[in-house]
Amino acid sequence: VESGKNRRVTIRRARLHDHGDVEALAQLRWRWRVDDRGESGPSWAEFSRQFAQWCAGHADTHPAFLAERDGVVIGMAWLAIVERIPGPAHFERRSAYVQSVYVAPEAREAGVGSQLVDALIDEARRRRLDYLAVHPSGVEAVRGLGKSP
């Protein structure tokens, strides 16, 4: 019997046109930025509405992944895919940035963040991106997951 943080976690691609997935992503983003960090801005209802519009408009360039345990979403991670300047040998060039990796505090220390980053790496490989970058503010967090930025 698995209990607590050792229960099975499922990592899956978020569907950015699905109300339930977008709502879960918005809740995680709100929790991280407003509840955990104290940011202020629009009301939850307005943020949720704007977030859903943003997701619909960025589904092709910003794939997201969700971590779930027992049917409850406990984490997220995003790729920001960017077009690169064409070159003579490779006209279509793309890379990506790791963005917004967040695991709910009660689900941390169980390898969920590492599993989310692994999903981003797999997606970058699947898309044959030139490289995957981590913003300098996230380098220490990625190293803490046992990954090399």
Side-chain angles (χ1 to χ4, degrees), residues 6-143:
N6 295 324
R7 290 184 304 227
R8 180 172 161 74
V9 172
T10 301
I11 306 295
R12 67 172 178 84
R13 174 91 181 262
R15 299 171 304 261
L16 296 183
H17 293 288
D18 177 84
H19 176 75
D21 281 4
V22 171
E23 182 78 7
L25 289 163
Q27 288 173 351
L28 288 169
R29 187 74 176 154
W30 182 270
R31 183 175 182 186
W32 179 18
R33 305 304 292 216
V34 175
D35 297 344
D36 295 356
R37 289 192 172 179
E39 286 185 13
S40 60
S43 68
W44 159 251
E46 181 62 17
F47 172 77
S48 179
R49 185 188 67 73
Q50 290 177 2
F51 189 85
Q53 289 176 343
W54 185 90
C55 286
H58 292 83
D60 292 335
T61 59
H62 289 73
F65 289 82
L66 292 169
E68 295 176 318
R69 184 171 51 214
D70 298 332
V72 176
V73 174
I74 57 171
M76 67 177 174
W78 297 73
L79 282 181
I81 299 173
V82 296
E83 298 288 329
R84 300 186 57 221
I85 307 299
H90 303 285
F91 198 80
E92 290 189 28
R93 301 172 65 216
R94 296 177 307 146
S95 60
Y97 293 92
V98 172
Q99 292 193 333
S100 299
V101 177
Y102 176 77
V103 177
E106 66 275 8
R108 293 182 186 159
E109 304 299 324
V112 177
S114 185
Q115 291 177 59
L116 284 163
V117 171
D118 286 344
L120 297 181
I121 292 168
D122 290 345
E123 182 69 9
R125 286 182 179 139
R126 186 187 73 74
R127 291 176 181 248
R128 298 178 186 253
L129 301 178
D130 293 334
Y131 64 85
L132 184 60
V134 178
H135 188 276
S137 67
V139 168
E140 288 307 313
V142 169
R143 281 192 185 125

